Amino acid sequence: INENLRKNFIRLLQSTAVSPILLIKKPNNGVRIYIDYYNINNIILKIYYPLLLIKETFDTIYRIKILLNSI
């Protein structure tokens, strides 16, 4: 890591939204990228209500459209 820092291939960041990225060697000699989102998940604003299903949303829009056309 120190060598790559010296060559400016990588750099240190001081952001609170930084996630470490690791390259893990796979059994078949390939490389897997691993991103640790743990720190980002701790600072994200949590949404505590479920999102509507798309079908329910379209049904609501359709009913509103019919209601507005009848006025």
Side-chain angles (χ1 to χ4, degrees):
I1 291 178
N2 289 332
E3 181 180 342
N4 287 329
L5 281 169
R6 193 169 19 87
K7 292 179 180 179
N8 291 323
F9 291 150
I10 60 175
R11 63 180 180 219
L12 293 175
L13 297 176
Q14 302 301 322
S15 172
T16 57
V18 171
S19 291
I21 298 174
L22 303 172
L23 300 175
I24 308 296
K25 189 172 183 179
K26 293 166 67 172
N28 65 357
N29 292 329
V31 176
R32 174 177 291 140
I33 296 177
Y34 174 76
I35 303 172
D36 184 6
Y37 290 110
Y38 183 78
N39 291 335
I40 291 179
N41 289 337
N42 288 334
I43 63 172
I44 290 177
L45 178 65
K46 304 288 191 247
I47 299 174
Y48 293 104
Y49 56 90
L51 297 175
L52 296 175
L53 296 175
I54 192 71
K55 183 182 182 317
E56 293 173 359
T57 304
F58 284 144
D59 289 344
T60 303
I61 292 171
Y62 180 73
R63 285 193 300 270
I64 291 171
K65 183 178 174 184
I66 291 175
L67 177 66
L68 290 176
N69 286 337
S70 66
I71 294 179

